[in-house]
Amino acid sequence: MTSSITNRIVAHALLILGIVIVAFPIYYVFVASTHSLKEILTPPLPLIPGSQFLHNYYEAIFGGVQKIGGVSAARLLYNTTVVGLCVAVGKIAISILSAYAIVFFRFPFRMTFFWMIFITLMLPVEVRILPTYKVMVQLHLIDTFGGLILPLIASATATLLFRQFFMTIPAELVEAARVDGAGPWRFFFDILLPLSKTNIAALFVILFIYGWTQYLWPLLVTNSNDMNTIIIGLKKMISFADADTQWHLVMVTCILAILPPILVVVLMQRWFVKGLVESEK
């Protein structure tokens, strides 16, 4: 009994220590976002929030940041949200339809197409990025949402995951749907989609964060500050000289960049975990 209590105390202590290690930098950034630039540049920075919370957040969200041409954090958040949502939804839509066709339809070179999709996992991003950029230039999609989103909405990983799940669907279920007169689209919408909702939720969380944190591709395909994502905006806001950097606005933007992925994970945590660990369908 004593050993069990000791193990539980040790486990909770380690868990709390891990939370503190992970959360303290975020708390430190939040504290810095509530102080003036002068207070941030004057060490040591206090560990309690300051009095500039409303002023700093209002200035960043609505006032604009000089280092990125006066573009506001609200515009950066809008751009990044559009990219993150469209990339996640696009990847899931294309992947689930691709997996559906590969598993439930019989057509020539079916497995050849699957392996061609699968092989793209072995190609590093750097190998594909220059020809992709050339295509975007030829299609006049530089500095557009289309240029930011379209090259990122195909996912071999999601196709593979949906295929593996669809292969666990009993053949009797497919035959019963066929006997009941369900066509391909009805079978897809009425049977496969409801069965796949936990997988879709888990993939949505992962793919949204993937789209939200993109850096290299948005850096290449955007020239205008108005089309920057929040990650690119953060990089542009930071100068080599501390005195030239509006650190209070940088910290505010950091917090704003962190919040949406955290909210997505927290709000969809139950579905996310269920989609990763559920084995019985």
Side-chain angles (χ1 to χ4, degrees):
M1 186 67 177
T2 304
S3 176
S4 176
I5 295 174
T6 303
N7 291 339
R8 185 174 300 179
I9 292 174
V10 171
H12 279 78
L14 291 175
L15 180 61
I16 292 171
L17 178 62
I19 293 173
V20 170
I21 292 174
V22 172
F24 181 75
I26 300 175
Y27 174 75
Y28 195 74
V29 171
F30 170 74
V31 170
S33 71
T34 63
H35 288 274
S36 65
L37 179 60
K38 182 179 179 180
E39 291 171 327
I40 293 175
L41 295 178
T42 305
L45 181 70
L47 292 179
I48 58 174
S51 59
Q52 300 297 310
F53 174 82
L54 293 177
H55 178 270
N56 289 350
Y57 278 78
Y58 182 87
E59 183 180 357
I61 295 174
F62 301 107
V65 182
Q66 296 177 2
K67 296 291 291 184
I68 49 176
V71 177
S72 66
R75 175 66 188 188
L76 300 178
L77 281 173
Y78 171 76
N79 294 344
T80 316
T81 301
V82 171
V83 173
L85 288 175
C86 291
V87 166
V89 174
K91 279 180 177 288
I92 290 172
I94 292 174
S95 299
I96 197 170
L97 290 174
S98 301
Y100 175 54
I102 290 170
V103 173
F104 294 102
F105 290 86
R106 299 293 181 265
F107 53 89
F109 306 108
R110 176 172 61 96
M111 292 308 298
T112 302
F113 289 129
F114 169 72
W115 284 109
M116 289 174 63
I117 295 172
F118 185 75
I119 286 172
T120 61
L121 289 172
M122 306 176 190
L123 298 176
V125 175
E126 292 77 12
V127 172
R128 298 178 276 118
I129 203 162
L130 286 179
T132 304
Y133 180 79
K134 184 177 180 181
V135 171
M136 293 299 103
V137 172
Q138 293 173 342
L139 295 177
H140 305 289
L141 291 178
I142 301 299
D143 270 337
T144 65
F145 284 115
L148 281 167
I149 295 165
L150 289 177
L152 302 176
I153 62 172
S155 175
T157 303
T159 302
L160 176 63
L161 292 176
F162 279 122
R163 174 184 178 269
Q164 296 306 110
F165 168 66
F166 289 162
M167 290 180 70
T168 66
I169 302 293
E172 293 81 3
L173 182 60
V174 180
E175 186 63 28
R178 187 178 293 113
V179 170
D180 286 343
W185 286 115
R186 183 180 174 188
F187 176 72
F188 176 76
F189 285 108
D190 292 351
I191 297 176
L192 284 186
L193 274 185
L195 291 175
S196 305
K197 59 185 179 182
T198 54
N199 303 71
I200 291 173
L203 280 171
F204 178 83
V205 174
I206 296 170
L207 296 177
F208 176 80
I209 294 175
Y210 167 83
W212 186 272
T213 57
Q214 281 295 304
Y215 176 77
L216 182 58
W217 180 247
L219 180 65
L220 287 175
V221 82
T222 57
N223 298 320
S224 169
N225 290 324
D226 287 335
M227 291 303 300
N228 285 156
T229 60
I230 199 163
I231 307 298
I232 304 301
L234 271 173
K235 177 63 177 66
K236 290 184 176 181
M237 289 168 65
I238 299 174
S239 174
F240 288 106
D242 282 352
D244 294 336
T245 302
Q246 297 170 287
W247 284 110
H248 57 307
L249 301 184
V250 171
M251 299 304 174
V252 171
T253 309
C254 285
I255 294 297
L256 295 175
I258 293 170
L259 282 179
I262 291 177
L263 289 175
V264 168
V265 173
V266 170
L267 294 177
M268 301 189 66
Q269 180 182 11
R270 183 172 64 88
W271 289 96
F272 177 67
V273 174
K274 191 176 181 182
L276 292 180
V277 304
E278 188 178 51
S279 58
E280 294 183 9
K281 302 292 182 183

